[in-house]
Amino acid sequence: MMDYRFSKRSMGHLAEVHPHLAMVAVRALQLSPVDFGVTDGKRTMAEQKQEVAEGDSQTLNSRHLTGHAIDVMAYVDGQGSWEWEDYEQIGEAFKAAADEIGVAITWGGDWESLRDGPHFELSWSVYP
């Protein structure tokens, strides 16, 4: 297990989101074989509209608006990675962390349409 640490930017994003999600992210980083940072947390409606306009989101009802979602970036050898395998490993770390802490999460990589490997959110059913 590596000894990864979040940057100030990642910690800033985590400070904006629901504390249960932040706890899961911190534990996931400890469990993950792949380094990652938090690139997005809570968004304003203007920011969300921009995400939709740029094709990076398909909804104006995003969990980011309420602080119930984060996006991450995998880092391999200090460089950002979009390799699916990296996000699968990060996803497994998030699931393990969530199970350990007892927090219900959803990973965008499990979605049937628009699989979103970098996206993690608190489950709607438990965190409406």
Side-chain angles (χ1 to χ4, degrees), residues 56 58 84-85 87-88 107-119:
D56 294 328
Q58 294 183 333
W84 185 253
E85 299 78 31
Y87 290 92
E88 285 181 319
W107 176 42
D110 288 333
W111 292 342
E112 292 297 318
S113 63
L114 186 69
R115 287 174 68 200
D116 190 353
H119 181 89

PDB file of all heavy atoms in Angstrom, residues 56 58 84-85 87-88 107-119:
ATOM      1  N   ASP A  56     -19.560  17.715 -20.567  1.00  0.00           N
ATOM      2  CA  ASP A  56     -18.935  16.972 -19.474  1.00  0.00           C
ATOM      3  C   ASP A  56     -19.964  16.455 -18.467  1.00  0.00           C
ATOM      4  O   ASP A  56     -19.623  15.696 -17.564  1.00  0.00           O
ATOM      5  CB  ASP A  56     -17.892  17.832 -18.760  1.00  0.00           C
ATOM      6  CG  ASP A  56     -16.708  18.147 -19.656  1.00  0.00           C
ATOM      7  OD1 ASP A  56     -16.374  17.295 -20.505  1.00  0.00           O
ATOM      8  OD2 ASP A  56     -16.125  19.227 -19.511  1.00  0.00           O
ATOM      9  N   GLN A  58     -24.519  15.563 -18.241  1.00  0.00           N
ATOM     10  CA  GLN A  58     -25.765  15.481 -18.998  1.00  0.00           C
ATOM     11  C   GLN A  58     -26.970  15.962 -18.200  1.00  0.00           C
ATOM     12  O   GLN A  58     -28.095  15.810 -18.654  1.00  0.00           O
ATOM     13  CB  GLN A  58     -26.015  14.032 -19.448  1.00  0.00           C
ATOM     14  CG  GLN A  58     -24.997  13.530 -20.440  1.00  0.00           C
ATOM     15  CD  GLN A  58     -25.311  12.129 -20.929  1.00  0.00           C
ATOM     16  OE1 GLN A  58     -25.951  11.340 -20.247  1.00  0.00           O
ATOM     17  NE2 GLN A  58     -24.855  11.822 -22.127  1.00  0.00           N
ATOM     18  N   TRP A  84      -8.864   3.407 -18.158  1.00  0.00           N
ATOM     19  CA  TRP A  84     -10.003   2.835 -17.448  1.00  0.00           C
ATOM     20  C   TRP A  84      -9.557   1.947 -16.290  1.00  0.00           C
ATOM     21  O   TRP A  84     -10.162   1.955 -15.220  1.00  0.00           O
ATOM     22  CB  TRP A  84     -10.896   2.066 -18.418  1.00  0.00           C
ATOM     23  CG  TRP A  84     -12.121   1.569 -17.726  1.00  0.00           C
ATOM     24  CD1 TRP A  84     -12.393   0.285 -17.367  1.00  0.00           C
ATOM     25  CD2 TRP A  84     -13.218   2.355 -17.246  1.00  0.00           C
ATOM     26  NE1 TRP A  84     -13.596   0.217 -16.698  1.00  0.00           N
ATOM     27  CE2 TRP A  84     -14.119   1.480 -16.621  1.00  0.00           C
ATOM     28  CE3 TRP A  84     -13.521   3.718 -17.284  1.00  0.00           C
ATOM     29  CZ2 TRP A  84     -15.315   1.915 -16.045  1.00  0.00           C
ATOM     30  CZ3 TRP A  84     -14.707   4.144 -16.711  1.00  0.00           C
ATOM     31  CH2 TRP A  84     -15.584   3.253 -16.098  1.00  0.00           C
ATOM     32  N   GLU A  85      -8.493   1.181 -16.487  1.00  0.00           N
ATOM     33  CA  GLU A  85      -8.018   0.263 -15.446  1.00  0.00           C
ATOM     34  C   GLU A  85      -7.664   1.016 -14.161  1.00  0.00           C
ATOM     35  O   GLU A  85      -7.872   0.499 -13.057  1.00  0.00           O
ATOM     36  CB  GLU A  85      -6.794  -0.533 -15.918  1.00  0.00           C
ATOM     37  CG  GLU A  85      -7.045  -1.400 -17.139  1.00  0.00           C
ATOM     38  CD  GLU A  85      -7.051  -0.609 -18.453  1.00  0.00           C
ATOM     39  OE1 GLU A  85      -6.330   0.411 -18.569  1.00  0.00           O
ATOM     40  OE2 GLU A  85      -7.807  -1.006 -19.362  1.00  0.00           O
ATOM     41  N   TYR A  87      -9.099   3.758 -13.062  1.00  0.00           N
ATOM     42  CA  TYR A  87     -10.349   4.151 -12.404  1.00  0.00           C
ATOM     43  C   TYR A  87     -11.071   2.945 -11.813  1.00  0.00           C
ATOM     44  O   TYR A  87     -11.745   3.066 -10.778  1.00  0.00           O
ATOM     45  CB  TYR A  87     -11.231   4.969 -13.357  1.00  0.00           C
ATOM     46  CG  TYR A  87     -10.595   6.316 -13.590  1.00  0.00           C
ATOM     47  CD1 TYR A  87      -9.733   6.524 -14.658  1.00  0.00           C
ATOM     48  CD2 TYR A  87     -10.791   7.352 -12.682  1.00  0.00           C
ATOM     49  CE1 TYR A  87      -9.091   7.742 -14.833  1.00  0.00           C
ATOM     50  CE2 TYR A  87     -10.164   8.576 -12.851  1.00  0.00           C
ATOM     51  CZ  TYR A  87      -9.312   8.761 -13.925  1.00  0.00           C
ATOM     52  OH  TYR A  87      -8.678   9.966 -14.078  1.00  0.00           O
ATOM     53  N   GLU A  88     -10.918   1.783 -12.427  1.00  0.00           N
ATOM     54  CA  GLU A  88     -11.486   0.572 -11.837  1.00  0.00           C
ATOM     55  C   GLU A  88     -10.855   0.301 -10.475  1.00  0.00           C
ATOM     56  O   GLU A  88     -11.556  -0.046  -9.512  1.00  0.00           O
ATOM     57  CB  GLU A  88     -11.279  -0.631 -12.756  1.00  0.00           C
ATOM     58  CG  GLU A  88     -12.197  -0.636 -13.950  1.00  0.00           C
ATOM     59  CD  GLU A  88     -11.994  -1.841 -14.843  1.00  0.00           C
ATOM     60  OE1 GLU A  88     -10.834  -2.240 -15.084  1.00  0.00           O
ATOM     61  OE2 GLU A  88     -13.013  -2.393 -15.282  1.00  0.00           O
ATOM     62  N   TRP A 107     -20.742   4.673  -7.711  1.00  0.00           N
ATOM     63  CA  TRP A 107     -19.612   4.990  -8.586  1.00  0.00           C
ATOM     64  C   TRP A 107     -20.133   5.159 -10.009  1.00  0.00           C
ATOM     65  O   TRP A 107     -20.848   4.288 -10.527  1.00  0.00           O
ATOM     66  CB  TRP A 107     -18.565   3.879  -8.528  1.00  0.00           C
ATOM     67  CG  TRP A 107     -17.413   4.077  -9.467  1.00  0.00           C
ATOM     68  CD1 TRP A 107     -16.753   5.240  -9.720  1.00  0.00           C
ATOM     69  CD2 TRP A 107     -16.787   3.093 -10.285  1.00  0.00           C
ATOM     70  NE1 TRP A 107     -15.753   5.041 -10.641  1.00  0.00           N
ATOM     71  CE2 TRP A 107     -15.751   3.721 -11.003  1.00  0.00           C
ATOM     72  CE3 TRP A 107     -16.998   1.732 -10.478  1.00  0.00           C
ATOM     73  CZ2 TRP A 107     -14.936   3.047 -11.905  1.00  0.00           C
ATOM     74  CZ3 TRP A 107     -16.188   1.055 -11.369  1.00  0.00           C
ATOM     75  CH2 TRP A 107     -15.159   1.716 -12.069  1.00  0.00           C
ATOM     76  N   GLY A 108     -19.774   6.274 -10.636  1.00  0.00           N
ATOM     77  CA  GLY A 108     -20.195   6.528 -12.014  1.00  0.00           C
ATOM     78  C   GLY A 108     -19.717   5.460 -12.991  1.00  0.00           C
ATOM     79  O   GLY A 108     -20.306   5.276 -14.055  1.00  0.00           O
ATOM     80  N   GLY A 109     -18.670   4.747 -12.661  1.00  0.00           N
ATOM     81  CA  GLY A 109     -18.166   3.676 -13.519  1.00  0.00           C
ATOM     82  C   GLY A 109     -19.095   2.484 -13.595  1.00  0.00           C
ATOM     83  O   GLY A 109     -18.950   1.645 -14.484  1.00  0.00           O
ATOM     84  N   ASP A 110     -20.060   2.392 -12.670  1.00  0.00           N
ATOM     85  CA  ASP A 110     -21.041   1.305 -12.689  1.00  0.00           C
ATOM     86  C   ASP A 110     -22.299   1.667 -13.466  1.00  0.00           C
ATOM     87  O   ASP A 110     -23.182   0.830 -13.631  1.00  0.00           O
ATOM     88  CB  ASP A 110     -21.438   0.913 -11.258  1.00  0.00           C
ATOM     89  CG  ASP A 110     -20.335   0.168 -10.530  1.00  0.00           C
ATOM     90  OD1 ASP A 110     -19.509  -0.491 -11.189  1.00  0.00           O
ATOM     91  OD2 ASP A 110     -20.296   0.252  -9.286  1.00  0.00           O
ATOM     92  N   TRP A 111     -22.408   2.908 -13.917  1.00  0.00           N
ATOM     93  CA  TRP A 111     -23.602   3.322 -14.649  1.00  0.00           C
ATOM     94  C   TRP A 111     -23.646   2.632 -16.002  1.00  0.00           C
ATOM     95  O   TRP A 111     -22.611   2.408 -16.642  1.00  0.00           O
ATOM     96  CB  TRP A 111     -23.622   4.837 -14.840  1.00  0.00           C
ATOM     97  CG  TRP A 111     -23.819   5.588 -13.560  1.00  0.00           C
ATOM     98  CD1 TRP A 111     -24.303   5.120 -12.383  1.00  0.00           C
ATOM     99  CD2 TRP A 111     -23.505   6.969 -13.341  1.00  0.00           C
ATOM    100  NE1 TRP A 111     -24.332   6.121 -11.448  1.00  0.00           N
ATOM    101  CE2 TRP A 111     -23.839   7.261 -12.003  1.00  0.00           C
ATOM    102  CE3 TRP A 111     -22.984   7.978 -14.134  1.00  0.00           C
ATOM    103  CZ2 TRP A 111     -23.679   8.530 -11.452  1.00  0.00           C
ATOM    104  CZ3 TRP A 111     -22.820   9.234 -13.585  1.00  0.00           C
ATOM    105  CH2 TRP A 111     -23.165   9.497 -12.265  1.00  0.00           C
ATOM    106  N   GLU A 112     -24.863   2.326 -16.463  1.00  0.00           N
ATOM    107  CA  GLU A 112     -25.045   1.672 -17.759  1.00  0.00           C
ATOM    108  C   GLU A 112     -24.787   2.642 -18.915  1.00  0.00           C
ATOM    109  O   GLU A 112     -24.182   2.283 -19.902  1.00  0.00           O
ATOM    110  CB  GLU A 112     -26.467   1.098 -17.869  1.00  0.00           C
ATOM    111  CG  GLU A 112     -26.708  -0.072 -16.923  1.00  0.00           C
ATOM    112  CD  GLU A 112     -25.814  -1.270 -17.215  1.00  0.00           C
ATOM    113  OE1 GLU A 112     -25.617  -1.598 -18.387  1.00  0.00           O
ATOM    114  OE2 GLU A 112     -25.309  -1.866 -16.239  1.00  0.00           O
ATOM    115  N   SER A 113     -25.315   3.867 -18.770  1.00  0.00           N
ATOM    116  CA  SER A 113     -25.086   4.859 -19.823  1.00  0.00           C
ATOM    117  C   SER A 113     -24.149   5.926 -19.276  1.00  0.00           C
ATOM    118  O   SER A 113     -24.181   6.225 -18.082  1.00  0.00           O
ATOM    119  CB  SER A 113     -26.405   5.489 -20.268  1.00  0.00           C
ATOM    120  OG  SER A 113     -26.995   6.191 -19.204  1.00  0.00           O
ATOM    121  N   LEU A 114     -23.330   6.470 -20.126  1.00  0.00           N
ATOM    122  CA  LEU A 114     -22.326   7.467 -19.740  1.00  0.00           C
ATOM    123  C   LEU A 114     -21.537   7.002 -18.519  1.00  0.00           C
ATOM    124  O   LEU A 114     -21.610   7.583 -17.447  1.00  0.00           O
ATOM    125  CB  LEU A 114     -22.958   8.846 -19.473  1.00  0.00           C
ATOM    126  CG  LEU A 114     -21.940   9.975 -19.192  1.00  0.00           C
ATOM    127  CD1 LEU A 114     -21.162  10.303 -20.459  1.00  0.00           C
ATOM    128  CD2 LEU A 114     -22.602  11.207 -18.641  1.00  0.00           C
ATOM    129  N   ARG A 115     -20.819   5.911 -18.682  1.00  0.00           N
ATOM    130  CA  ARG A 115     -19.964   5.441 -17.592  1.00  0.00           C
ATOM    131  C   ARG A 115     -18.964   6.539 -17.269  1.00  0.00           C
ATOM    132  O   ARG A 115     -18.290   7.055 -18.143  1.00  0.00           O
ATOM    133  CB  ARG A 115     -19.247   4.161 -18.001  1.00  0.00           C
ATOM    134  CG  ARG A 115     -20.195   2.976 -18.034  1.00  0.00           C
ATOM    135  CD  ARG A 115     -19.560   1.727 -18.567  1.00  0.00           C
ATOM    136  NE  ARG A 115     -18.542   1.230 -17.640  1.00  0.00           N
ATOM    137  CZ  ARG A 115     -17.581   0.400 -18.000  1.00  0.00           C
ATOM    138  NH1 ARG A 115     -17.480  -0.029 -19.228  1.00  0.00           N
ATOM    139  NH2 ARG A 115     -16.702  -0.009 -17.108  1.00  0.00           N
ATOM    140  N   ASP A 116     -18.907   6.912 -15.989  1.00  0.00           N
ATOM    141  CA  ASP A 116     -18.133   8.069 -15.543  1.00  0.00           C
ATOM    142  C   ASP A 116     -17.162   7.621 -14.447  1.00  0.00           C
ATOM    143  O   ASP A 116     -17.442   7.753 -13.261  1.00  0.00           O
ATOM    144  CB  ASP A 116     -19.116   9.136 -15.038  1.00  0.00           C
ATOM    145  CG  ASP A 116     -18.476  10.477 -14.761  1.00  0.00           C
ATOM    146  OD1 ASP A 116     -17.234  10.576 -14.828  1.00  0.00           O
ATOM    147  OD2 ASP A 116     -19.219  11.427 -14.458  1.00  0.00           O
ATOM    148  N   GLY A 117     -16.029   7.089 -14.859  1.00  0.00           N
ATOM    149  CA  GLY A 117     -15.051   6.538 -13.933  1.00  0.00           C
ATOM    150  C   GLY A 117     -14.566   7.489 -12.850  1.00  0.00           C
ATOM    151  O   GLY A 117     -14.345   7.061 -11.716  1.00  0.00           O
ATOM    152  N   PRO A 118     -14.393   8.774 -13.149  1.00  0.00           N
ATOM    153  CA  PRO A 118     -13.899   9.695 -12.123  1.00  0.00           C
ATOM    154  C   PRO A 118     -14.944  10.139 -11.093  1.00  0.00           C
ATOM    155  O   PRO A 118     -14.605  10.830 -10.135  1.00  0.00           O
ATOM    156  CB  PRO A 118     -13.441  10.916 -12.935  1.00  0.00           C
ATOM    157  CG  PRO A 118     -13.255  10.422 -14.321  1.00  0.00           C
ATOM    158  CD  PRO A 118     -14.277   9.338 -14.490  1.00  0.00           C
ATOM    159  N   HIS A 119     -16.216   9.756 -11.265  1.00  0.00           N
ATOM    160  CA  HIS A 119     -17.317  10.315 -10.463  1.00  0.00           C
ATOM    161  C   HIS A 119     -17.745   9.376  -9.337  1.00  0.00           C
ATOM    162  O   HIS A 119     -18.014   8.203  -9.556  1.00  0.00           O
ATOM    163  CB  HIS A 119     -18.511  10.579 -11.388  1.00  0.00           C
ATOM    164  CG  HIS A 119     -19.694  11.173 -10.701  1.00  0.00           C
ATOM    165  ND1 HIS A 119     -19.859  12.528 -10.562  1.00  0.00           N
ATOM    166  CD2 HIS A 119     -20.769  10.596 -10.109  1.00  0.00           C
ATOM    167  CE1 HIS A 119     -21.006  12.760  -9.926  1.00  0.00           C
ATOM    168  NE2 HIS A 119     -21.570  11.598  -9.636  1.00  0.00           N
TER     169      HIS A 119
END
